[in-house]
Amino acid sequence: MNLSLEGKTYVIMGVANKRSIAWGISQSLSKAGAKLIFTYAGERMEKNVRQLADSLDQEETIVLPCDITDDAEIEKTFQDIKDKVGHIDGLAHCIAFANKEELDGDYLNTTRDGFMLAHSISSYSLTAVAKVIRDLDLMKEGGSIVTMTYLGGERIVKNYNVMGVAKASLDASVQYLANDLGKESIRVNAISAGPIRTLSAKGIGGFNDVLQEMEEKAPLNRLVTQEEVGDTALFLMSDLARGITGETIHVDAGYNKVG
Ligand code: KAL
């Protein structure tokens, strides 16, 4: 058993730019010899994702659109993946969205539409993709599904609001999906990353305060990087993690244990 992913194929959903956690994961998996397939949301992202994918040491670059609010499109994308590669060994789901105006002030002001949107994109999408993978028998040799969560789903984090409620739903989904897919040797886990300056975090009120508090209070007294999250994803994708499912691993310099 080792960390090599030579001969294995993974789908990465959610690369936006080089600061993306999904990109950190891509680099770790690619260095370990994995073949990667990327999906992106919306034409705006396509160029970036293609450029980044091309910069990796991959034999072939597969980049496909996937709007995860559209079940028919999810099915089409994963059927395309099946046609191209036959089967996959893992999936990194790094997708979240909430309306910016609802990531500030009182959670109480969340609208029904904003609530549904945040949950549809940030939580249900994992279940939708997992179901398509199972229905298409895409992980026929077993596999590892990894999603990204955040502490704000376990406890109150200022301004995280409806995203916190969506992450709590995502965390519960990880457990139920792990139970459903265990019989097919598919493991489902989450990584709870500390705050990282990604495009998602850009322009969100109070983010600098969260970074500062993390550096002051986390046992390691520092922030974490995309690379550190990527290496944890690599571990979860590898056979070394074969006994782990339904779990959340915090990659946050120990911050969640404080306070
Ligand atoms: C407590 C933290 C500070 C920030 C509070 C809320 C963060 C919410 C994350 C959420 C995913 C951000 C958005 O949906 C932003 C969106 O409304 C506008 N941005 C975009 O559309 C950009 C262009 C695209 C690329 O972004 C997305 N998401 O599609 C939380 C911090 C400390 C940790 C974070 C940032 C956690 C997290 O969930 O990302």
Side-chain angles (χ1 to χ4, degrees):
M1 296 286 166
N2 60 44
L3 274 176
S4 168
L5 300 183
E6 213 64 63
K8 296 193 169 185
T9 306
Y10 296 84
V11 175
I12 313 275
M13 309 183 83
V15 174
N17 63 19
K18 67 177 189 329
R19 288 170 174 256
S20 296
I21 289 176
W23 183 240
I25 295 176
S26 307
Q27 288 173 295
S28 292
L29 300 194
S30 185
K31 272 188 219 149
K35 179 185 175 82
L36 302 181
I37 297 167
F38 295 89
T39 75
Y40 62 89
E43 281 166 31
R44 232 164 20 105
M45 294 291 172
E46 182 177 0
K47 201 171 147 220
N48 255 349
V49 180
R50 276 193 194 283
Q51 269 177 2
L52 285 168
D54 284 340
S55 74
L56 290 173
D57 188 19
Q58 295 270 317
E59 253 170 46
E60 174 193 16
T61 313
I62 305 178
V63 179
L64 300 167
C66 187
D67 171 0
I68 43 77
T69 60
D70 180 343
D71 289 333
E73 185 161 331
I74 297 175
E75 229 178 285
K76 184 185 173 308
T77 304
F78 281 84
Q79 183 62 57
D80 274 5
I81 292 172
K82 187 167 182 171
D83 295 343
K84 285 188 197 314
V85 298
H87 86 277
I88 62 172
D89 300 285
L91 170 97
H93 170 275
C94 314
I95 297 173
F97 184 87
N99 289 325
K100 204 163 176 173
E101 58 276 14
E102 297 187 333
L103 298 168
D104 190 19
D106 287 356
Y107 166 69
L108 202 60
N109 294 327
T110 307
T111 61
R112 185 181 296 274
D113 282 352
F115 185 97
M116 300 300 243
L117 183 69
H119 282 70
S120 170
I121 298 182
S122 317
S123 175
Y124 183 71
S125 61
L126 178 71
T127 300
V129 169
K131 178 161 165 51
V132 166
I133 287 174
R134 207 272 318 269
D135 290 352
L136 292 173
D137 201 17
L138 247 182
M139 288 190 186
K140 55 177 176 244
E141 294 174 15
S144 172
I145 296 177
V146 174
T147 188
M148 296 306 307
T149 189
Y150 178 61
L151 187 62
E154 297 173 58
R155 52 164 112 141
I156 301 157
V157 176
K158 191 165 178 270
N159 290 343
Y160 203 58
N161 295 1
V162 67
M163 266 311 303
V165 182
K167 288 298 192 191
S169 155
L170 179 72
D171 295 350
S173 299
V174 165
Q175 299 186 23
Y176 281 96
L177 291 171
N179 193 44
D180 290 348
L181 296 172
K183 49 186 165 300
E184 287 158 59
S185 299
I186 299 173
R187 299 180 290 104
V188 187
N189 294 290
I191 296 175
S192 181
I196 295 179
R197 248 182 231 291
T198 60
L199 189 57
S200 257
K202 206 169 172 180
I204 301 228
F207 184 67
N208 286 337
D209 299 340
V210 180
L211 293 179
Q212 201 183 335
E213 180 167 320
M214 164 107 172
E215 281 182 309
E216 279 166 17
K217 293 198 182 158
L220 296 180
N221 285 122
R222 63 169 179 85
L223 302 176
V224 292
T225 63
Q226 280 86 343
E227 290 71 30
E228 289 169 329
V229 175
D231 287 349
T232 302
L234 165 59
F235 163 68
L236 285 172
M237 295 301 187
S238 80
D239 290 338
L240 294 184
R242 62 196 177 281
I244 302 175
T245 195
E247 188 63 275
T248 298
I249 301 186
H250 293 85
V251 181
D252 66 348
Y255 180 78
N256 74 97
K257 304 300 177 209
V258 180

